[in-house]
Amino acid sequence: FSTAIAITEQPVSVSVPVGYSFTLRCRAQGRTSLQYQWFCQHQSDCRLIPGATNQDLPIVAEQTQLYTCRVNDLHRNAVFSDWVKVEVHQCVARGLPPRLWRGEPVIVLNPSEQRVRVGQPLQLQCAAMGVPAPSYQWYRNGNLLEQQKRKKLWISHTKVSDSGTYLCCASNSHGEHWSNAVDVHIGEQIQPTSLCCTSPAVRCKIALLVGNNRYQHHPNLLAPVRDVFELSHLLEHLGFQVVSLLD
């Protein structure tokens, strides 16, 4: 009975700030009464969520995970919903949505200006929160880049013609939000970025991150290593030179 159960409403991916409360939904129809069971996966660890046996799964966002729902009937037929991603943003102080946020896209990571040698790879990154999770579209000099529809714009071998002003549009069913516009310079002679702080004429941003886990008079924290890693990754894309220390 491959068609004994039909999922009529799939859960949808979301991109939300840490601590945000929301609900994943799954609806199905079958020939008998149906039972639901939700599962989650973080990295390679997939597990059943105890007690998550309703059509709706309430979640308080803590970390980025994948979710799916299994639906079975009394005849041992079973189907799984689509896997959906719950993306959780830990560091969104400036991009935090307003109090009455209804899920419209909010940019939390803007691309940064790049100087790249001809033939070298180019990567620009944009990230936005939204319910449902936003889709992305990149533009150069106001022209749509047909193949660039992900958070990360990637060009493996740059040409001089790839120079220009880039920006990204994040959109979902509630609206759209545009990233900052940034200039990308492709050329033969590019000053090494390692010299940026040796020249008094160039402003350089440096971030020092210290993740402490071993305290003498305090219990260990939950995830300082992960937090330092995620924050350093974010700051690097904002143009900072990052020095990360642990314990």
Side-chain angles (χ1 to χ4, degrees), residues 50 57-58 80 123 138 144 158 163 171 186 191 221 233 246:
L57 177 66
F80 281 85
Q123 177 178 286
W138 287 88
L144 183 146
T158 54
S163 296
S171 62
I186 312 295
Q191 183 179 7
L221 301 180
H233 189 66
L246 297 174

Side-chain angles (χ1 to χ4, degrees), residues 10-231:
Q10 295 278 3
V12 297
S13 296
V14 301
S15 183
V16 296
V18 64
Y20 186 76
S21 299
F22 62 98
T23 299
L24 291 179
R25 292 167 50 90
C26 180
R27 297 291 186 272
Q29 293 179 345
R31 298 173 182 173
T32 68
S33 61
L34 300 177
Q35 298 174 329
Y36 294 78
Q37 176 62 61
W38 289 88
F39 296 80
C40 68
Q41 178 175 330
H42 177 63
Q43 297 178 344
S44 60
D45 179 27
C46 181
R47 60 183 177 85
L48 176 149
I49 304 175
T53 56
N54 296 322
Q55 295 174 320
D56 294 340
L57 177 66
I59 295 176
V60 177
E62 295 180 354
Q63 62 181 354
T64 297
Q65 294 189 122
L66 300 175
Y67 291 84
T68 187
C69 184
R70 183 190 67 204
V71 186
N72 61 274
D73 62 15
L74 301 180
H75 300 299
R76 297 186 179 179
N77 298 304
V79 297
F80 281 85
S81 72
D82 296 338
W83 281 97
V84 294
K85 185 176 185 179
V86 173
E87 182 179 38
V88 180
H89 296 273
Q90 302 285 342
C91 309
V92 291
R94 292 185 180 179
L96 195 65
R99 206 166 181 183
L100 299 179
W101 185 54
R102 298 183 178 179
E104 63 274 14
V106 175
I107 299 290
V108 295
L109 176 61
N110 281 285
S112 56
E113 181 178 351
Q114 301 286 328
R115 293 180 176 272
V116 181
R117 291 181 181 273
V118 171
Q120 294 299 305
L122 167 66
Q123 177 178 286
L124 296 174
Q125 188 167 0
C126 176
M129 295 185 296
V131 180
S135 57
Y136 296 86
Q137 177 61 64
W138 287 88
Y139 294 79
R140 181 181 66 240
N141 299 330
N143 299 314
L144 183 146
L145 299 174
E146 187 64 37
Q147 304 302 318
Q148 301 291 351
K149 296 180 180 293
R150 299 177 179 271
K151 283 188 206 178
K152 293 183 180 180
L153 176 145
W154 174 260
I155 299 174
S156 56
H157 296 87
T158 54
K159 307 181 294 294
V160 173
S161 59
D162 292 320
S163 296
T165 301
Y166 287 74
L167 75 167
C168 183
C169 178
S171 62
N172 65 12
S173 55
H174 298 290
E176 63 183 29
H177 197 171
W178 294 77
S179 74
N180 295 341
V182 296
D183 293 328
V184 172
H185 309 274
I186 312 295
E188 296 291 347
Q189 299 296 328
I190 302 295
Q191 183 179 7
T193 56
S194 59
L195 299 180
C196 74
C197 289
T198 64
S199 171
V202 179
R203 297 180 63 188
C204 185
K205 299 181 291 185
I206 301 176
L208 172 63
L209 302 179
V210 180
N212 284 328
N213 187 45
R214 299 175 183 174
Y215 288 91
Q216 185 175 0
H217 302 294
H218 191 282
N220 287 350
L221 301 180
L222 291 178
V225 175
R226 185 194 68 195
D227 293 344
V228 166
F229 174 79
E230 292 184 354
L231 183 56

